Amino acid sequence: MLLRHTPKEVTERSALTINPAKTCQPVGAMYAALGIHGCLPHSHGSQGCYAYHRSALTRHFKEPVIAATSAFTEGSSVFGGQANLLQAIDNIFTVYNPDIIAVHTTCLSETIGDDIPQIISKAKAEGKVPDGKYVIHANTPSYVGSHVTGFSTMTRAMVDYFAESSGHKTKTLNLIPGYSEPSDMEEIRRIASLMGIQTIMFPDTSRVLNGPLTGKYRMFPDGGVTIPELRQAGSSMGTVALGALASSAAAKALDAKCKVPCEILDLPMGLHGTDMYVDILRRIAGVNVPDSLTLERGQLVDVISDMHQYFYGKKVALAGDPDQLLAIAKFLVSIDMIPVYMVTGTPAGKKFEKALREVVKDAPCEVKIQMPGDMFLLHQWIKQSPVDLLIGNSYLKYIAKDEDIPLVRHGFPIFDRIGHSYFPTMGYKGGLRFLEKILDALLDRKDRDATDINMELVM
Amino acid sequence: MDALEDIVLEAEGLTPEKVKLEMLAKYPTKVARKRARQIVINKVGETGDVPEIQANVRTTPGLIGQRGCCYAGCKGVVLGPSRDIVNITHGPIGCGFYSWLTRRNQTDADASPDGHNFMTYCFSTDMQEKEIIFGGEKKLKQAIQEAYDLLDPKPKAIGVFATCPVGLIGDDVHSVCKEMKEKLGINVFGFSCEGYKGVSQSAGHHIANNGIFTHVVGTDDTIREGKFKINLLGEYNIGGDAFELERIFEKCGLTLISTFSGNSTISGFANCHTADLNLIMCHRSINYVADMLEKKYGLPWIKINFISASATAKSLRKIAAYFGDPELTARVEAVIAEEMPAVEKARDEIYPRTQGKRVMLFVGGSRAHHYQDLFRELGMTTLSAGYEFGHRDDYEGRNVLPSIQVDADSRNIQELEVHPDPEKYNPRKSPDEMERLTREGLPFNKYDGMMPEMPDDTMIIDDLSQYETDKLIELYKPDIFCAGIKEKYIVQKHGIPMKQLHSYDYGGPYAGFKGAVNFYKDIDRMVNSKIWSYMKAPWQKNPELMATYAWE
């Protein structure tokens, strides 16, 4: 047994987190910053932080993940990290020449209380920021929220630093894709462009973290939202923010700063989630939905109906980020699966928990939700009453193996499979892929469990 | 040593001096001056003396390198790979999360009578803003209590690791651990391994060594059976390396008391002072424990290396020479004779395809040295190498130890004062015997470092930066580059195969005899792969449209 010390009986814990279903803010900020074209994320902390974040993102994407650090020593921890950051800014522009440095803080620099805007001003005053180059920042203390909060805060910083209203609205729509994969970002944009809508998406990690192998390494790949685009986002006709936790801060900031109205939706996962997204796009832009998109929708409905018998009544345990949990739970309920256990380490608030409970209110059995909760607790619930399927990140495979339950990998991090960077789980096509993954897991298990007598060729 | 044979490079006028200048040219003056002392062109003198390299100094902010932090070195190195201890990270969630199962320390829990294995778990106090403001000691105490209460069966040891903010807010992890040790009656101890301490993981290794020596080593005096008792230090069982070594030791009739730390247990550490010889693999991470064991218990240490078949054979012979038992010597020779044919067969088959290929290694604190032996066995040349967190002694040899300046960053890492144990100190060999063995070619407490074994004119680079990585690849176009996960896909985007020497790219084992064969095969696969020729599409190779189809 891999998790041999996990007891079946749940006991109250108030201080110890075991097998967390979240990680810390800075990694989310680093991920978001990689979605700006020509950006070098910078971790203002000791060098372990950026080493860990770069490693985690590299393992997840199997792509270069570049970032810099202030490399705090004991001295800088006592006297503050200003000298380190000033030196870093100078070195980065001299040696690596990015268009922009996106600084995020850490628990270390936040506890010390370094004032990043003041340090950036000083760097500018000292001529360390070349003309036409930028340094932005986000405060991302690791002891508040989670990686989702960090993503959200850095995305908001893009608005705070760049968005400006030109006085007249363009026909462009802003898309904030949430803490999603590069493939999902591509899909979200593809749907809008099928509808003939011009978009600015930020952040945008497609073609940054799913780039080609050409034999030539480029520290700053083609992808990412550009600074002119971020500026123009303040003149767009509206913003569609996907995933309330990851995206609403930026959308609301843009509304407050530049009077760009916003709609905050669930992540467009599954039939209804994507329907909502497409329908909002249609109404905001005043366009018709093209037949090609309606066809994609029809194909998803077709597969749901073809394979409904295998979904119906199956119990699922989920661990992941709040926006993903909500969207996946809705998708699962829509195809008559039952998300019976759900945990996220991210403190998403009472309102969110209520929304999640609402999704499963008609479930035919007890549904357990814990937030913040951890995978240790999820495992204990499973030991008490098992499920048919697990959905979550790679760490769930330890539970999957011990309890012999099929697993569909989704979320962050996925260290042991590929696909998430290239094939979306959002939109209708993404919905199809997600269903395919669920079916593969369930039906492979059915084949494995079949006896010589009841093995089925056709399913 | 012979100068690096590379006609092509010479023809291009690409001397190491020029390469060095080119790498430094882009840096701001102060940075260039500092890096110039960390980039050294090797020259081995007649007495084995080498140029001085600056190492174990602060990383320049903004330069982008490979290093991690003190916490990573401390939690990762000694206790992380030990299965029968609950390791609680005291801090915000990230540090515990990132160090959760991400090093490939394999362990065989069923080999222990108690079957304890907590390595698959991540325990954290998940500090929140409240604790940053009001202190986290209460939460830590409660977390230790909860770990003890709920895990089944109960742990016999709990380790606590402090992260950056813990040091800043002044939580005293040691007093909390002391209190909980008394309360629970199990071993509970803490490490002040805040990430900002020292200049790399190396500081964490030292702190871990100190902690384990203070709280665990020597607490179990059980004398285990066995005629030739050894400890293996600095072997982390990546990809099953330790299993291969255990197999070889058993075959040779050697009794392994404890490994620091791979497939390891706290019980093993507690008992390690009953062994008769310490073998040091990774000098950087563990030499402190070896020194302290010698001072306190009279246990001598020798440097060995089980990476490569020839190094393994040499190391086994050293062990046999130490014990000086004819039966053991015969058995070791028999094992070598039995194991080598398979290794040689694999090597002979692969050698023609790897001979002459060129390597760069920038990794860890010993691997950049040890793996050169394996590449040599494949006829491959090391063009350039360096450590991520090595010290001068790992480059130049321990004879430079007295001349290493202790700077502010190192001074803050405690040096334990160790004296002979009044009851347990027992020198295993008399000074005369030690002297005789040294004369006969078995030096104690000696490590010559990486540079004396490298050809003249190779580039030795400490704490390599991303810029230098790209430059080296661009200028030298090596056939394979070795480093860690952060560098993996960057190097491969350049179109050059990259071998991870921390995680072995999820392969291995590479240690010992069977490991050498695995390594030969992996390197053959990588440097001779056709996949590196796929990068250009047909229309990129022949962009001009010579003729078009006339389909109507």
Side-chain angles (χ1 to χ4, degrees):
Chain A
M1 296 287 271
L2 293 159
L3 297 163
R4 53 179 67 193
H5 300 280
T6 306
K8 191 171 162 184
E9 294 313 316
V10 176
T11 44
E12 175 82 15
R13 277 180 284 139
S14 64
L16 186 66
T17 294
I18 314 177
N19 302 349
K22 67 165 175 185
T23 179
C24 65
Q25 282 211 50
V27 77
M30 186 181 284
Y31 178 53
L34 287 164
I36 304 174
H37 180 71
C39 179
L40 187 71
H42 181 89
S43 166
H44 188 52
S46 55
Q47 57 196 352
C49 306
Y50 97 134
Y52 274 144
H53 304 145
R54 291 181 64 203
S55 298
L57 291 168
T58 303
R59 290 180 178 120
H60 179 82
F61 292 109
K62 314 241 176 290
E63 285 288 314
V65 173
I66 201 77
T69 177
S70 292
F72 274 54
T73 57
E74 198 149 4
S76 21
S77 304
V78 176
F79 301 111
Q82 172 170 289
N84 292 49
L85 185 51
L86 288 173
Q87 201 192 349
I89 290 171
D90 190 25
N91 288 334
I92 290 168
F93 281 125
T94 311
V95 180
Y96 298 109
N97 196 27
D99 296 336
I100 168 172
I101 299 172
V103 181
H104 61 261
T105 57
T106 57
C107 46
L108 175 56
S109 52
E110 286 288 337
T111 306
I112 299 168
D114 275 351
D115 180 353
I116 309 297
Q118 177 264 323
I119 301 175
I120 295 175
S121 302
K122 197 168 160 62
K124 283 184 187 159
E126 290 177 4
K128 292 188 162 78
V129 184
D131 282 347
K133 306 273 179 180
Y134 301 89
V135 182
I136 68 169
H137 92 288
N139 291 100
T140 51
S142 321
Y143 45 77
V144 176
S146 75
H147 57 293
V148 183
T149 324
F151 181 92
S152 162
T153 310
M154 183 54 85
T155 306
R156 191 205 144 121
M158 297 174 200
V159 170
D160 292 344
Y161 271 91
F162 294 114
E164 55 189 37
S165 172
S166 66
H168 60 272
K169 295 283 177 218
T170 64
K171 285 209 167 312
T172 303
L173 189 65
N174 300 324
L175 297 176
I176 307 180
Y179 199 121
S180 52
E181 299 290 344
S183 56
D184 291 318
M185 296 184 185
E186 264 166 9
E187 182 63 8
I188 288 163
R189 189 179 30 226
R190 186 188 69 94
I191 289 172
S193 82
L194 272 181
M195 297 171 72
I197 303 169
Q198 250 196 350
T199 57
I200 292 171
M201 180 156 68
F202 65 93
D204 179 5
T205 59
S206 63
R207 293 199 291 155
V208 177
L209 291 167
N210 57 3
L213 180 59
T214 61
K216 206 169 161 51
Y217 167 62
R218 292 166 62 203
M219 188 178 269
F220 306 107
D222 286 334
V225 65
T226 63
I227 291 160
E229 283 175 321
L230 283 174
R231 239 183 242 125
Q232 289 154 21
S235 304
S236 294
M237 64 175 167
T239 302
V240 174
L242 302 170
L245 224 78
S247 301
S248 61
K252 286 177 181 165
L254 195 53
D255 190 359
K257 186 178 177 188
C258 303
K259 302 281 171 291
V260 179
C262 65
E263 280 287 349
I264 295 160
L265 304 182
D266 290 345
L267 291 172
M269 295 191 72
L271 188 69
H272 302 311
T274 311
D275 280 352
M276 286 282 287
Y277 173 59
V278 171
D279 204 41
I280 285 276
L281 288 183
R282 177 179 72 102
R283 285 189 280 138
I284 293 176
V287 294
N288 290 319
V289 177
D291 290 347
S292 56
L293 207 50
T294 311
L295 170 70
E296 287 179 18
R297 181 184 194 276
Q299 287 173 328
L300 178 58
V301 177
D302 190 59
V303 169
I304 292 172
S305 82
D306 289 348
M307 306 308 270
H308 182 246
Q309 69 188 81
Y310 302 108
F311 301 130
Y312 183 83
K314 292 288 191 301
K315 292 180 177 172
V316 189
L318 298 167
D321 301 338
D323 291 335
Q324 274 77 359
L325 284 189
L326 189 65
I328 294 173
K330 284 185 180 175
F331 190 17
L332 296 180
V333 168
S334 77
I335 59 174
D336 288 323
M337 296 182 85
I338 315 163
V340 286
Y341 308 138
M342 289 183 272
V343 296
T344 176
T346 300
K350 289 248 179 307
K351 214 173 117 192
F352 174 82
E353 191 173 341
K354 210 176 139 206
L356 195 57
R357 290 202 184 274
E358 182 67 21
V359 176
V360 289
K361 70 174 190 310
D362 295 327
C365 57
E366 190 200 356
V367 172
K368 291 179 174 170
I369 297 172
Q370 182 81 25
M371 45 177 287
D374 55 32
M375 293 189 197
F376 186 82
L377 177 66
L378 185 78
H379 191 182
Q380 289 182 304
W381 288 341
I382 291 167
K383 278 180 179 289
Q384 287 178 11
S385 175
V387 292
D388 301 298
L389 183 69
L390 294 166
I391 299 177
N393 68 30
S394 293
Y395 284 101
L396 280 183
K397 81 173 174 186
Y398 289 78
I399 300 177
K401 190 164 160 66
D402 274 1
E403 306 301 331
D404 196 16
I405 299 169
L407 164 66
V408 168
R409 286 168 180 75
H410 192 273
F412 178 81
I414 296 174
F415 287 156
D416 57 341
R417 295 292 187 276
I418 57 124
H420 43 280
S421 321
Y422 304 102
F423 308 111
T425 54
M426 292 184 194
Y428 299 121
K429 288 227 179 260
L432 265 183
R433 174 170 176 261
F434 198 50
L435 287 191
E436 185 199 14
K437 283 178 85 84
I438 290 175
L439 278 169
D440 279 350
L442 292 174
L443 298 184
D444 280 352
R445 175 58 183 268
K446 205 170 157 65
D447 286 342
R448 196 200 80 185
D449 291 347
T451 63
D452 289 359
I453 296 165
N454 65 16
M455 183 74 174
E456 297 287 347
L457 173 69
V458 185
M459 290 166 115
Chain B
M1 277 209 181
D2 294 336
L4 184 67
E5 282 177 81
D6 212 301
I7 301 145
V8 185
L9 294 181
E10 292 290 332
E12 287 173 0
L14 204 61
T15 62
E17 289 80 7
K18 277 191 189 167
V19 171
K20 179 174 172 176
L21 283 177
E22 191 168 339
M23 284 200 291
L24 296 175
K26 199 162 190 180
Y27 289 143
T29 322
K30 251 179 85 180
V31 177
R33 211 178 298 137
K34 183 175 175 194
R35 291 302 297 156
R37 292 194 288 268
Q38 292 177 276
I39 303 174
V40 167
I41 296 153
N42 200 30
K43 192 138 205 80
V44 186
E46 274 173 21
T47 54
D49 55 305
V50 290
E52 180 178 332
I53 187 166
Q54 195 176 66
N56 192 37
V57 293
R58 291 178 188 180
T59 301
T60 306
L63 220 48
I64 309 181
Q66 304 181 330
R67 286 173 169 178
C69 66
C70 181
Y71 163 87
C74 184
K75 185 178 179 236
V77 73
V78 180
L79 290 156
S82 302
R83 59 180 173 260
D84 55 347
I85 177 165
V86 167
N87 291 322
I88 301 178
T89 299
H90 184 39
I93 198 66
C95 309
F97 179 84
Y98 303 114
S99 55
W100 177 21
L101 285 168
T102 45
R103 285 187 87 223
R104 293 184 65 226
N105 314 107
Q106 297 187 359
T107 205
D108 179 10
D110 296 324
S112 295
D114 62 17
H116 283 201
N117 181 15
F118 298 100
M119 282 167 64
T120 47
Y121 293 88
C122 164
F123 300 96
S124 171
T125 55
D126 187 13
M127 270 178 129
Q128 299 297 303
E129 195 156 22
K130 193 176 73 188
E131 285 98 38
I132 299 292
I133 297 167
F134 299 108
E137 290 182 12
K138 218 172 107 190
K139 191 172 193 181
L140 174 60
K141 217 176 287 178
Q142 176 66 14
I144 295 170
Q145 184 70 50
E146 286 173 5
Y148 180 77
D149 288 343
L150 77 90
L151 292 167
D152 176 31
K154 291 195 185 310
K156 57 191 176 214
I158 296 177
V160 173
F161 299 83
T163 61
C164 293
V166 169
L168 293 180
I169 64 173
D171 274 3
D172 185 350
V173 296
H174 304 287
S175 72
V176 170
C177 289
K178 198 165 162 240
E179 185 187 330
M180 293 311 285
K181 181 179 178 174
E182 278 159 22
K183 184 175 176 198
L184 302 176
I186 62 167
N187 202 356
V188 185
F189 45 96
F191 296 87
S192 291
C193 54
E194 288 84 354
Y196 54 75
K197 288 198 172 156
V199 300
S200 71
Q201 294 96 310
S202 179
H205 302 153
H206 195 165
I207 291 168
N209 280 225
N210 288 348
I212 207 77
F213 195 79
T214 307
H215 298 287
V216 183
V217 166
T219 53
D220 173 10
D221 293 331
T222 312
I223 303 292
R224 282 162 57 189
E225 288 217 9
K227 209 166 159 192
F228 311 110
K229 288 188 271 197
I230 52 172
N231 294 319
L232 183 58
L233 276 66
E235 159 48 56
Y236 299 102
N237 203 21
I238 304 298
D241 277 353
F243 297 140
E244 164 68 357
L245 300 182
E246 287 168 17
R247 179 187 75 84
I248 295 170
F249 292 156
E250 198 181 325
K251 227 170 145 178
C252 292
L254 298 163
T255 304
L256 183 64
I257 300 293
S258 179
T259 303
F260 290 73
S261 313
N263 192 30
S264 53
T265 59
I266 287 291
S267 326
F269 300 156
N271 189 233
C272 73
H273 61 297
T274 64
D276 292 318
L277 177 65
N278 280 330
L279 310 174
I280 298 227
M281 272 286 275
C282 174
H283 171 263
R284 181 67 271 133
S285 55
I286 209 81
N287 75 82
Y288 318 93
V289 159
D291 274 339
M292 292 188 282
L293 273 168
E294 176 156 36
K295 277 186 198 140
K296 189 164 177 183
Y297 301 104
L299 205 58
W301 68 263
I302 55 170
K303 176 79 180 73
I304 46 78
N305 174 22
F306 291 109
I307 302 297
S308 95
S310 53
T312 301
K314 198 171 147 194
S315 298
L316 290 174
R317 288 186 175 119
K318 276 189 184 176
I319 300 166
Y322 171 80
F323 286 106
D325 179 278
E327 209 174 299
L328 176 67
T329 306
R331 200 156 158 189
V332 160
E333 289 304 328
V335 169
I336 295 169
E338 195 187 319
E339 297 278 339
M340 281 309 277
V343 179
E344 275 157 11
K345 185 166 172 269
R347 193 188 84 117
D348 291 348
E349 200 262 314
I350 290 166
Y351 189 89
R353 292 191 296 274
T354 50
Q355 184 193 12
K357 304 262 185 200
R358 302 167 316 147
V359 193
M360 290 183 177
L361 304 100
F362 292 95
V363 62
S366 68
R367 292 182 192 267
H369 176 196
H370 290 163
Y371 276 80
Q372 291 185 29
D373 281 344
L374 266 174
F375 283 116
R376 252 193 300 273
E377 288 178 353
L378 289 171
M380 295 171 70
T381 316
T382 301
L383 288 179
S384 185
Y387 296 123
E388 181 182 346
F389 50 75
H391 298 197
R392 272 185 65 201
D393 40 324
D394 304 303
Y395 286 103
E396 303 169 49
R398 279 175 72 93
N399 52 333
V400 301
L401 277 176
S403 63
I404 294 181
Q405 281 179 344
V406 181
D407 61 14
D409 299 305
S410 299
R411 201 171 297 123
N412 291 340
I413 312 300
Q414 194 194 359
E415 285 285 348
L416 289 185
E417 207 177 301
V418 179
H419 301 287
D421 188 285
E423 282 147 35
K424 298 179 193 171
Y425 181 76
N426 163 29
R428 304 308 202 266
K429 299 267 179 197
S430 70
D432 285 353
E433 279 174 310
M434 298 276 277
E435 208 192 302
R436 178 183 58 82
L437 285 167
T438 305
R439 250 193 342 265
E440 289 169 6
L442 183 72
F444 293 92
N445 307 12
K446 191 164 185 301
Y447 174 45
D448 288 334
M450 170 167 86
M451 288 165 68
E453 282 186 21
M454 289 185 66
D456 284 358
D457 289 343
T458 44
M459 293 188 81
I460 317 294
I461 308 180
D462 182 58
D463 188 19
L464 184 79
S465 76
Q466 183 54 46
Y467 176 72
E468 292 154 16
T469 307
D470 294 337
K471 267 281 169 234
L472 281 177
I473 291 173
E474 193 185 296
L475 295 171
Y476 283 109
K477 296 178 186 64
D479 296 292
I480 192 165
F481 193 99
C482 305
I485 181 68
K486 300 188 294 300
E487 296 76 39
K488 170 85 183 171
Y489 303 102
I490 295 176
V491 172
Q492 296 203 160
K493 289 282 188 206
H494 281 288
I496 285 165
M498 195 284 187
K499 184 72 198 159
Q500 291 187 64
L501 286 186
H502 288 290
S503 74
Y504 300 174
D505 291 321
Y506 326 106
Y510 291 151
F513 299 110
K514 290 193 171 161
V517 175
N518 289 337
F519 192 77
Y520 301 159
K521 287 180 180 166
D522 280 350
I523 296 306
D524 180 30
R525 169 181 62 75
M526 293 180 83
V527 299
N528 292 303
S529 173
K530 58 184 181 295
I531 60 169
W532 303 106
S533 70
Y534 296 167
M535 275 161 264
K536 288 226 178 321
W539 49 91
Q540 289 170 316
K541 286 180 192 161
N542 302 297
E544 266 143 68
L545 218 47
M546 299 299 279
T548 52
Y549 281 73
W551 287 348
E552 293 284 320

